[in-house]
Amino acid sequence: MAPTRPGSAAEQVLLDWLESHLALVSRLDHGGTAGWKFGSVHELVAACGRWYIPASLPAGIRGLPERQCFANAAATEREHPHLAYTEGFAVAANSPLPTAHAWCTNADGDGHVVDPTWSDYAGGAYLGIVLPPHLRPKAPHNWGVLEAPDSLYPLLRSGL
């Protein structure tokens, strides 16, 4: 597994959670994904994801409504082309539970998070994948790319 960087308690929580999901998936006798590159979204993020550095929301980028992270990150990327839409799993600083989440990162690759959804209390840990431009949440639903079967299954079958 690529993501082995837990340097904080929140990163350790996220890594432990991911490893437990990977262990469960490996115990399932499910032939439905036989021949696919990845058997689950957890395997995809473990293999292709990287750790990102929590950071305060930069000046000029506004916070957006909670519980709309996929649409918020896509809108922020459209408004600020120097950012890259990123999806994966994160742990909010005020929560002990990882969740599917979307945020932006600096396109220059410095690894810093620009999270318009959790701007008030910044995330404690982020593990995710910068997704190619053709993969973005689409209105009217704005579901996460790694959440919606029509976008996730091709990634699991063939990879990025």
Side-chain angles (χ1 to χ4, degrees):
M1 174 188 339
T4 59
R5 184 196 104 182
S8 70
E11 287 175 346
Q12 189 63 54
V13 165
L14 182 49
L15 183 61
D16 291 347
W17 176 85
L18 182 62
E19 287 176 345
S20 69
H21 279 274
L22 292 170
L24 287 170
V25 168
S26 73
R27 290 183 16 211
L28 296 174
D29 185 17
H30 187 282
T33 57
W36 289 16
K37 188 163 186 168
F38 303 103
S40 72
V41 67
H42 304 93
E43 287 181 13
L44 173 67
V45 172
C48 302
R50 65 171 275 200
W51 292 100
Y52 291 93
I53 303 162
S56 298
L57 202 57
I61 297 180
R62 60 191 166 91
L64 296 170
E66 288 185 40
R67 298 188 182 127
Q68 297 177 32
C69 64
F70 305 112
N72 292 346
T76 300
E77 180 196 44
R78 283 191 301 274
E79 192 174 321
H80 302 276
H82 67 284
L83 299 177
Y85 178 87
T86 308
E87 257 188 59
F89 304 113
V91 178
N94 65 345
S95 171
L97 300 174
T99 187
H101 193 58
W103 60 93
C104 291
T105 54
N106 289 318
D108 64 11
D110 74 354
H112 285 88
V113 170
V114 176
D115 189 342
T117 306
W118 289 352
S119 60
D120 290 341
Y121 43 84
Y126 293 84
L127 177 63
I129 302 167
V130 172
L131 294 171
H134 71 280
L135 294 175
R136 294 294 180 271
K138 302 208 177 13
H141 302 294
N142 290 311
W143 291 321
V145 172
L146 301 180
E147 297 278 299
D150 62 334
S151 54
L152 174 61
Y153 291 173
L155 292 175
L156 295 181
R157 276 189 209 101
S158 306
L160 291 168

